[in-house]
Amino acid sequence: MNVPIRFNAQHTLKSAVGDHGLDPSDFDAQVGLDAVVGFRKRVDSGEVGFPNLPMDQNTAKSVEKFASRLRSEVDAVLVLGIGGSALGPYALDTAIRGPHPVQVDKKKCPKLYVMDNVDPGFVSAFLENLNPKKTAVCVIAKSGGTAETLSTFLIVHEWIVKAIGAKKAVGRFVAVTDEHKGDLLAIAKAEKYQTFYVPADVGGRFSVLTPVGLLPAALIGLDIKKLLHGAHDANQASWSRKLETNPALQSALVHHALDTKRGKKIEIVFAYSAYLWGSAFWYRQLWAESLGKRVNRQGEVVHTGQTPVAALGVTDQHSQVQLYAEGPNDKMITFWAVDKYRTEIKIPETKNFLQYDAVAYLAGKKLSTLFHAERTATEAALTEAGRPNCRWVLPRVDEYYIGAFFQLLEFQTAFCGELYGINAFDQPGVELAKKITNGLMGRKGFEDYAEKFGSKKA
Ligand code: PA5
């Protein structure tokens, strides 16, 4: 394997967790290999494009060139987007620069803000706290027509134009959208905004390594070349036809078997790094929207998909673990662990406190030793309770490993799509609510929806 991110599924086995675990007869290596071959066909035919992104050095170069000029002019980068057009930038920012609001930034690059909601209080808080004269705005919508993103665009556009004038505002907006269609593309052309494109064969939740994620990342000073390098190495591993060298495939098989053979309908993603908390939310969308499907590729009703739940170690040990250990045994837990933390802190040996039992054994130890012990203990306790759990381990959280990890998780998702026999790349279940919203908001062509659903009071 080219990328040393490890996947360990030992605690999902019957030998570790008893009847709720898997045994060798639950796996068919040939089925796994068929999933790789099946997915490869989709990529080669142009149906799915995310595995090609790490090779697109030209886009990365032009994004970096543009970003290096703009980032010196502003102190905030405001992303207007939602779903796959917002979660990727947020995940990258929090992974590399740290969780909000206590980021350490030695390079003094602009800070990232993500406006991915139309709650009026949330939106006005941005406008009250950011300086319109020092803000760059990335308007991101692959479809170019998302109601939430276009409304916030109108609001932010007015706010910036008022502060710096229409002419100067042009240089502060950059659009990321489809190359050939959509109203955002038309607006960007008319306004002469710098524009970057999302390839047609890359869906929103798989777009973190297109300009959707790369542009905000470059603007806040992340090394996007390293992100792509990591993803490139993850590709090598993920196309392997040998199960033992393909961690994305191993993980897909384990998830699929625990769901379909042991009824683990919920996946807890237990991130043991505050830096991976944003990534857990990115993954939540990837897993849910890709695999939650009513029908399979043959049109039969199947209702597939595990419900992903994000949990943070150690914080949620004191909030969720009681349920995971003793509640319904309908979950699998996936730990996200890290070998090497960003910094080390020693717990002080303060003399006055050493007489207390609850303190004495902690004093003088590294905080990372406690953090590590808590994850190991939680894994052991859940295993003892018969709860199947597996683990991804990143050597550290930096651009290279994050690029690799995200790519592995996207491959894992694609392989699972093949195993379930569903289309992991569409999202028909969200269309009806979008149409009703259009109707309720008076959009031309959606009058029927307004009529049918308009009188319903919440
Ligand atoms: O994964 C997807 O395709 C969706 O979740 C989209 O990312 C989301 O709906 C936002 O779409 P758009 O980028 O067109 O605004």
Side-chain angles (χ1 to χ4, degrees):
M1 168 175 173
N2 307 68
V3 51
I5 291 179
R6 285 131 39 212
F7 179 69
N8 185 322
Q10 224 181 333
H11 296 159
T12 62
L13 301 177
K14 261 200 174 122
S15 52
V17 289
D19 284 351
H20 284 269
L22 300 168
D23 56 28
S25 64
D26 290 313
F27 297 104
D28 183 341
Q30 190 53 46
V31 171
L33 296 181
D34 290 349
V36 178
V37 174
F39 179 53
R40 181 88 214 199
K41 279 192 192 138
R42 296 189 199 288
V43 175
D44 291 344
S45 69
E47 184 189 332
V48 181
F50 80 80
N52 303 325
L53 298 173
M55 279 72 84
D56 184 4
Q57 298 296 330
N58 287 343
T59 300
K61 270 186 204 145
S62 52
V63 163
E64 178 50 39
K65 192 170 164 203
F66 171 78
S68 62
R69 183 182 52 76
L70 187 56
R71 74 175 158 246
S72 60
E73 293 174 20
V74 296
D75 56 27
V77 172
L78 178 57
V79 167
L80 310 181
I82 196 162
S85 293
L87 289 160
Y90 181 73
L92 293 175
D93 178 44
T94 49
I96 307 304
R97 301 212 358 197
H100 297 187
V102 284
Q103 294 187 324
V104 176
D105 177 25
K106 293 190 183 121
K107 291 203 261 174
K108 298 276 171 268
C109 287
K111 276 195 162 232
L112 187 80
Y113 298 83
V114 182
M115 198 188 275
D116 63 350
N117 203 318
V118 290
D119 180 323
F122 178 72
V123 172
S124 47
F126 282 86
L127 306 187
E128 279 164 33
N129 284 290
L130 297 184
N131 177 355
K133 295 183 178 158
K134 300 287 277 175
T135 300
V137 186
C138 303
V139 196
I140 309 180
K142 185 181 176 199
S143 62
T146 307
E148 295 88 341
T149 305
L150 290 180
S151 343
T152 51
F153 164 67
L154 293 178
I155 293 165
V156 170
H157 178 261
E158 183 184 73
W159 174 70
I160 294 210
V161 167
K162 244 190 214 156
I164 61 174
K167 214 169 146 197
K168 205 168 168 207
V170 170
R172 288 294 161 78
F173 281 85
V174 46
V176 181
T177 189
D178 188 274
E179 189 171 2
H180 302 291
K181 55 180 189 333
D183 280 352
L184 177 57
L185 178 71
I187 292 171
K189 278 190 178 156
E191 297 293 313
K192 300 196 168 36
Y193 294 158
Q194 171 76 41
T195 305
F196 292 97
Y197 302 114
V198 191
D201 57 5
V202 179
R205 56 193 174 274
F206 293 89
S207 68
V208 62
L209 297 178
T210 72
V212 168
L214 296 182
L215 174 69
L219 282 167
I220 59 168
L222 271 50
D223 188 335
I224 60 173
K225 269 207 299 216
K226 279 197 190 151
L227 283 171
L228 295 181
H229 183 194
H232 178 271
D233 287 354
N235 268 15
Q236 308 284 321
S238 303
W239 286 131
S240 166
R241 307 272 168 107
K242 285 194 195 129
L243 184 56
E244 57 279 18
T245 54
N246 189 334
L249 182 60
Q250 292 165 19
S251 180
L253 285 167
V254 165
H255 280 75
H256 181 256
L258 282 173
D259 173 9
T260 57
K261 300 187 173 180
R262 296 291 179 278
K264 306 307 169 206
K265 293 288 168 204
I266 298 170
E267 182 191 17
I268 312 295
V269 179
F270 216 151
Y272 270 74
S273 165
Y275 289 78
L276 293 177
W277 190 219
S279 305
F281 282 87
W282 167 83
Y283 174 77
R284 212 172 55 128
Q285 183 205 13
L286 181 70
W287 203 238
E289 232 173 36
S290 302
L291 303 180
K293 297 292 150 73
R294 188 176 69 85
V295 293
N296 64 15
R297 285 190 181 269
Q298 280 71 48
E300 295 152 352
V301 175
V302 284
H303 294 297
T304 55
Q306 285 180 316
T307 302
V309 174
L312 180 63
V314 298
T315 312
D316 286 327
Q317 286 174 207
H318 298 265
S319 145
Q320 301 294 299
V321 167
Q322 171 61 33
L323 171 75
Y324 304 162
E326 294 190 356
N329 201 339
D330 54 359
K331 307 167 191 62
M332 61 171 290
I333 300 106
T334 305
F335 289 91
W336 287 3
V338 176
D339 281 332
K340 197 168 171 356
Y341 304 106
R342 204 65 62 93
T343 47
E344 190 51 88
I345 296 186
K346 193 178 145 198
I347 305 172
E349 291 172 278
T350 312
K351 233 170 146 194
N352 290 357
F353 303 136
L354 293 179
Q355 59 183 302
Y356 302 105
D357 271 1
V359 170
Y361 75 103
L362 298 171
K365 304 258 169 60
K366 292 179 192 162
L367 210 48
S368 65
T369 308
L370 175 62
F371 199 35
H372 180 81
E374 297 225 24
R375 177 181 56 77
T376 309
T378 305
E379 282 189 22
L382 289 171
T383 306
E384 283 293 299
R387 310 292 158 138
N389 59 91
C390 57
R391 183 195 319 130
W392 284 104
V393 185
L394 280 70
R396 53 182 182 276
V397 182
D398 65 11
E399 283 96 331
Y400 174 82
Y401 287 111
I402 280 296
F405 191 40
F406 283 14
Q407 194 77 346
L408 288 174
L409 293 173
E410 290 185 22
F411 267 98
Q412 171 197 303
T413 306
F415 292 151
C416 251
E418 300 297 320
L419 295 172
Y420 284 114
I422 51 98
N423 182 353
F425 305 99
D426 63 0
Q427 52 286 325
V430 299
E431 289 312 313
L432 179 60
K434 278 191 200 166
K435 287 177 182 155
I436 299 173
T437 304
N438 283 333
L440 298 181
M441 292 299 287
R443 186 170 183 177
K444 223 171 124 198
F446 293 84
E447 294 80 2
D448 289 356
Y449 294 95
E451 203 178 313
K452 185 162 175 202
F453 300 99
S455 60
K456 298 233 163 67
K457 293 268 183 290

